[in-house]
Amino acid sequence: MLAPVLLLAWIYRGLGALGLLLGTVLLAAVGFVGWRLRRTVVRRRSGTYTSAELARLDEQGLGVAVERILSRDGWHVISMPYRGRPRLYARDRGGRQLDVGFRPADKAPADEDAPTVVAPLREAGRPGVDNLIRVVVSTGSYSRTDVLWASRQGGVRLVDGRQLQQWAAGTPLDDLVLPG
């Protein structure tokens, strides 16, 4: 706190009252920008993102964002990268477990019959067998083929870009895709 006062005194000695005024305005502008940046960082760290922020994220950044969002919602999250791609494991107080994988929004299906959803998720098997809910997150949308694939797997939930925006804005995951 002493540094800005000393800086203003030094400017005043060198440039007079006009320098003091300009220095004060400059310090106020720097303080305002710093305050805005800090607010944004604190908001992101607490697990709240805007649509524009989500749109700018790459796959790794999306993994970090979803980890923070899950933590905000009370999940204990462990990052478990798979072949350089983000993957998360999460558990809530009720004992529910999530295996969260990610699909890039720009991934286009090469073959209409092939599932375009993701390597990080193991074969789901029958729902309830291992009590693990698989969630695939994308900033884009899912094709009809993706939705059919997920419905045949049992226990796989798809979170598309629209749902991700709602989730990042504060809507709990339970209200979007998870069974009660």
Side-chain angles (χ1 to χ4, degrees):
M1 187 67 194
L2 185 60
V5 173
L6 291 175
L7 179 65
L8 286 176
W10 180 72
I11 290 173
Y12 178 69
R13 279 185 57 185
L15 300 174
L18 183 60
L20 182 62
L21 179 64
L22 289 175
T24 303
V25 169
L26 180 64
L27 281 175
V30 167
F32 178 74
V33 168
W35 174 73
R36 290 287 303 223
L37 287 174
R38 178 159 167 48
R39 232 177 69 184
T40 300
V41 168
V42 167
R43 182 178 42 76
R44 287 182 190 162
R45 284 189 181 156
S46 69
T48 305
Y49 291 80
T50 65
S51 299
E53 290 168 343
L54 289 172
R56 288 191 302 262
L57 295 175
D58 62 358
E59 194 174 23
Q60 299 297 326
L62 183 59
V64 171
V66 169
E67 184 175 355
R68 289 176 178 167
I69 294 168
L70 281 167
S71 294
R72 174 201 73 198
D73 288 350
W75 293 82
H76 175 71
V77 185
I78 299 170
S79 178
M80 301 172 58
Y82 178 82
R83 296 184 183 173
R85 296 185 63 200
R87 179 177 168 202
L88 304 172
Y89 170 79
R91 179 185 293 265
D92 72 353
R93 290 186 184 115
R96 291 183 301 172
Q97 302 171 44
L98 299 179
D99 179 8
V100 184
F102 299 88
R103 189 183 93 177
D106 59 351
K107 183 175 182 188
D111 177 13
E112 191 60 31
D113 294 331
T116 58
V117 191
V118 302
L121 301 178
R122 299 187 318 254
E123 257 329 286
R126 295 287 192 214
V129 170
D130 58 1
N131 217 15
L132 190 64
I133 302 166
R134 284 145 183 98
V135 179
V136 182
V137 179
S138 175
T139 54
S141 60
Y142 290 102
S143 69
R144 184 174 184 276
T145 305
D146 296 331
V147 173
L148 289 173
W149 175 85
S151 69
R152 281 187 233 126
Q153 297 302 308
V156 174
R157 306 293 188 268
L158 302 177
V159 176
D160 64 12
R162 183 186 52 77
Q163 290 171 317
L164 178 61
Q165 289 174 6
Q166 292 173 344
W167 188 24
T171 303
L173 187 60
D174 292 334
D175 294 348
L176 295 173
V177 297
L178 293 184

